[in-house]
Amino acid sequence: MTADLQKGGMGLRTCLLGLLALIVASKGSYSPEPDQRRTLPPGWVSLGPVDPEEELSLTFALRQQNLERLSELVQAVSDPGSPRYGKYLTIEDVAELVRPSPLTLHTVKKWLLAAGARNCNSVTTQDFLTCWLSVRQAELLLPGAEFHRYVGGPAKIHVVRSLRPYRLPQALASHVDFVGGLHRFPPTSSLRQRPKPQVAGSVGLHFGVTPSVIRERYNLTAQDVGSGTTNNSQACAQFLEQYFHDSDLAEFMHLFGGNFAHQTSVARVVGKQGRGRAGIEASLDVQYLMSAGANISTWVYSSPGRHEAQEPFLQWLLLLSNESSLPHVHTVSYGDDEDSLSSAYIQRVNTELMKAASRGLTLLFASGDSGAGCWSVSGRHQFRPSFPASSPYVTTVGGTSFQNPFRVTNEIVDYISGGGFSNVFPRPSYQEEAVVQFLNSSPHLPPSSYFNGSGRAYPDVAALSDGYWVVSNSVPIPWVSGTSASTPVFGGLISLINEHRILSGHPPLGFLNPRLYQQHGAGLFDVTHGCHESCLNEEVEGQGFCSGPGWDPVTGWGTPNFPALLKTLLNP
């Protein structure tokens, strides 16, 4: 790709003439992301403009082809009733389908070359280009953009962003979806450490969620671990400039992994592991994915976007589009408010998740830790859905608590469990029956003005999210809570089921939702008590949706009963 851009290098005069000709021919310009939020997130401050000669890395999302056909194939390979079930596409198949047209590739390369872009790299599917430019060149290339350096977040990380809208030549309107590396700021973790509940007496009690508590509640035996004889693998991804430490993982397994076979080190780290302090979120993800999906090879995607101008989540999506062999299960504790993202960005990311589903990857996303959420639109309160939790191509994991916080009992709703209805994506056909049943039967529905009842509803499933023990920086930390905990737990159990399927000669499960909804939550404990939080106003008084029999937008179909779930998902 780099060679293509540099082949037959143009002189400065020719470059400028070519760029001028393209802009003149374009008869104006357009804004690819007019609806992108451009306010500075809380906790971030500007350090001022960036040196015009400083280098930036920008990612150009090129217009793809045949997306309707890709959607049909995802449905076919994910539907147990289809003759194509489990016959996943290779990355080469996906590339053949979605690769941008020759005209798109030629037009965008010519435009970037004229602007002085260098060290451009593509991906296997050819639908992303990442190039280096100086700030001066980038601001000329993208009129309206003004790059500043910002600092913020708990780790006080630095990013280079433009809060102003950028424009592209009209001639590129049918060729470029958006440019990454301008607007979106890294999200902050919503993981929290709750106060220890008060209890009298200690007979038969546990003092926080550990791997043995999870294995007891979800009915795993000591034999429910990976065999170590397959190419089965799983992964978690982090985008918060957080790192795990191998020594913390080893200490965690020493303290809590004594009654089941397990691995004490990560098989592969993709991206750069920082040398700083371990983050609780990163530690939690690794420790509970590897203790739930015990003895299974585990990868960690560690903040792959390390340059200040890169968007780490976008860099992870690029990695998925550039690797032919990937872990079967990916758990991700990342989310943004739907309304904070541009339509162009959110639709394109959804397409990337659809590409992953076509390849048989199981993507599990945390549902968020703000209940139904809340924001004000034209002076009226509404619930606030989260993305990618609201994508129809991922399996979204909500959260639960024990009814008695010190006993392994039935589960109830964890009030922070994210859930609701997308304002962007319509309800997919696979969940039509379940969602209509909920809307027609729930006795505690909020006013209809608060949510889009026809949107993609989430979560799909749940697991314990309250009161975890984590080892971070050599210190055992209790009462850590959030759907960042439930997601790797559910992912690890899916990895164990994949292990059985692979040993039986079946393909891995891939995109779970069509099968989960067809089977009406078989193999899951139905969570029927509790509501999650929402707007603190007189109309709803802080209450969002409530759980009930069957599927609901708080805990989905429920939490795993491993032997029953294995039986349900093992065949074909």
Side-chain angles (χ1 to χ4, degrees):
M1 179 63 235
T2 304
D4 287 347
L5 274 183
Q6 293 173 342
K7 200 179 293 178
M10 305 167 78
L12 178 61
R13 187 168 182 273
T14 313
C15 281
L16 293 174
L17 286 174
L19 182 58
L20 180 62
L22 182 61
I23 293 173
V24 170
S26 72
K27 297 180 182 177
S29 60
Y30 77 105
S31 175
E33 302 186 80
D35 49 346
Q36 172 68 43
R37 181 179 66 190
R38 296 186 192 89
T39 55
L40 199 59
W44 289 83
V45 295
S46 172
L47 300 179
V50 183
D51 183 330
E53 302 310 314
E54 185 165 327
E55 295 284 294
L56 290 179
S57 169
L58 297 177
T59 297
F60 301 84
L62 277 56
R63 186 68 47 83
Q64 300 153 313
Q65 301 189 96
N66 303 312
L67 297 184
E68 283 190 14
R69 177 59 181 154
L70 181 64
S71 175
E72 292 168 2
L73 287 169
V74 169
Q75 188 167 341
V77 301
S78 308
D79 179 357
S82 163
R84 286 211 56 165
Y85 180 64
K87 297 176 181 176
Y88 304 124
L89 278 64
T90 65
I91 194 168
E92 291 77 19
D93 295 332
V94 175
E96 190 67 29
L97 205 59
V98 306
R99 181 184 294 121
S101 70
L103 178 61
T104 291
L105 293 169
H106 174 76
T107 303
V108 175
K109 290 175 190 176
K110 179 181 175 184
W111 172 63
L112 291 170
L113 178 59
R118 54 201 167 275
N119 297 329
C120 289
N121 291 294
S122 187
V123 292
T124 301
T125 47
Q126 296 185 34
D127 46 5
F128 285 106
L129 268 176
T130 300
C131 298
W132 288 87
L133 304 95
S134 70
V135 168
R136 188 193 310 277
Q137 290 170 324
E139 291 181 347
L140 284 171
L141 183 74
L142 308 169
E146 291 182 6
F147 289 95
H148 286 236
R149 179 169 279 103
Y150 299 91
V151 62
K156 299 300 178 191
I157 61 173
H158 288 228
V159 299
V160 173
R161 294 289 187 270
S162 168
L163 290 182
R164 295 176 57 85
Y166 66 96
R167 303 187 69 80
L168 297 180
Q170 193 64 43
L172 293 172
S174 60
H175 303 301
V176 177
D177 287 335
F178 71 89
V179 182
L182 279 90
H183 294 325
R184 284 160 288 277
F185 284 76
T188 55
S189 172
S190 56
L191 202 65
R192 58 189 84 178
Q193 189 176 10
R194 294 182 184 164
K196 176 181 175 181
Q198 300 301 308
V199 67
S202 60
V203 178
L205 302 183
H206 69 82
F207 293 93
V209 176
T210 63
S212 62
V213 169
I214 287 168
R215 297 178 81 83
E216 180 181 349
R217 168 58 187 157
Y218 297 143
N219 292 321
L220 283 85
T221 69
Q223 285 69 50
D224 290 318
V225 296
S227 66
T229 63
T230 70
N231 63 351
N232 191 17
S233 56
Q234 57 190 0
C236 57
Q238 274 294 326
F239 314 106
L240 302 171
E241 292 294 330
Q242 287 208 2
Y243 313 104
F244 76 96
H245 287 175
D246 278 321
S247 57
D248 288 340
L249 175 61
E251 178 65 13
F252 177 84
M253 291 300 187
H254 173 73
L255 289 173
F256 303 120
N259 58 355
F260 57 92
H262 58 264
Q263 298 183 8
T264 55
S265 62
V266 166
R268 181 178 172 188
V269 175
V270 182
K272 293 182 180 177
Q273 263 285 89
R275 296 172 181 252
R277 289 173 58 79
I280 293 180
E281 178 123 28
S283 304
L284 173 78
D285 281 354
V286 172
Q287 289 164 18
Y288 281 91
L289 181 61
M290 293 185 68
S291 55
N295 211 37
I296 290 174
S297 178
T298 302
W299 297 17
V300 173
Y301 289 86
S302 181
S303 296
R306 294 303 312 288
H307 186 269
E308 289 179 337
Q310 291 177 331
E311 298 178 32
F313 181 65
L314 188 57
Q315 298 305 307
W316 176 71
L317 291 174
L318 265 64
L319 287 170
L320 296 189
S321 281
N322 209 31
E323 293 278 343
S324 58
S325 181
L326 291 166
H328 302 309
V329 173
H330 296 253
T331 74
V332 187
S333 302
Y334 164 88
D336 260 322
D337 299 322
E338 269 189 352
D339 59 88
S340 74
L341 302 168
S342 73
S343 175
Y345 176 85
I346 207 169
Q347 293 291 349
R348 177 56 186 267
V349 169
N350 192 55
T351 298
E352 297 308 304
L353 302 172
M354 178 166 64
K355 283 163 58 179
S358 75
R359 296 173 60 192
L361 302 184
T362 301
L363 303 184
L364 296 124
F365 275 79
S367 70
D369 298 337
S370 302
C374 186
W375 69 314
S376 181
V377 185
S378 303
R380 284 196 57 83
H381 287 97
Q382 290 182 7
F383 296 159
R384 195 173 201 178
S386 176
F387 179 79
S390 64
S391 166
Y393 295 107
V394 305
T395 298
T396 305
V397 186
T400 61
S401 303
F402 281 125
Q403 196 160 8
N404 180 327
F406 291 98
R407 295 187 186 276
V408 180
T409 57
N410 292 337
E411 292 161 77
I412 59 173
V413 169
D414 186 348
Y415 67 91
I416 55 91
S417 179
F421 295 79
S422 174
N423 290 321
V424 175
F425 302 107
R427 182 191 305 149
S429 58
Y430 61 74
Q431 65 172 189
E432 180 75 22
E433 180 187 347
V435 176
V436 168
Q437 171 69 20
F438 170 79
L439 292 173
N440 288 340
S441 63
S442 175
H444 303 293
L445 272 184
S448 60
S449 61
Y450 278 74
F451 65 98
N452 171 31
S454 62
R456 151 55 163 153
Y458 70 97
D460 305 296
V461 293
L464 285 163
S465 57
D466 184 22
Y468 278 68
W469 279 91
V470 181
V471 174
S472 189
N473 299 300
S474 304
V475 178
I477 301 170
W479 306 111
V480 175
S481 301
T483 54
S484 297
S486 55
T487 306
V489 166
F490 203 98
L493 301 190
I494 295 300
S495 291
L496 292 181
I497 295 172
N498 275 341
E499 182 87 358
H500 284 271
R501 288 179 60 86
I502 292 166
L503 289 171
S504 300
H506 301 312
L509 284 164
F511 176 42
L512 290 172
N513 291 9
R515 185 164 182 164
L516 286 175
Y517 283 83
Q518 276 185 31
Q519 296 177 341
H520 298 95
L524 298 165
F525 291 118
D526 196 5
V527 179
T528 59
H529 296 288
C531 309
H532 63 183
E533 62 188 1
S534 74
C535 303
L536 289 170
N537 62 357
E538 290 184 4
E539 194 167 19
V540 296
E541 297 180 332
Q543 182 173 293
F545 297 99
C546 297
S547 63
W551 179 89
D552 58 69
V554 191
T555 59
W557 286 108
T559 63
N561 178 4
F562 183 75
L565 192 60
L566 173 61
K567 183 178 179 181
T568 299
L569 297 179
L570 180 56
N571 296 305

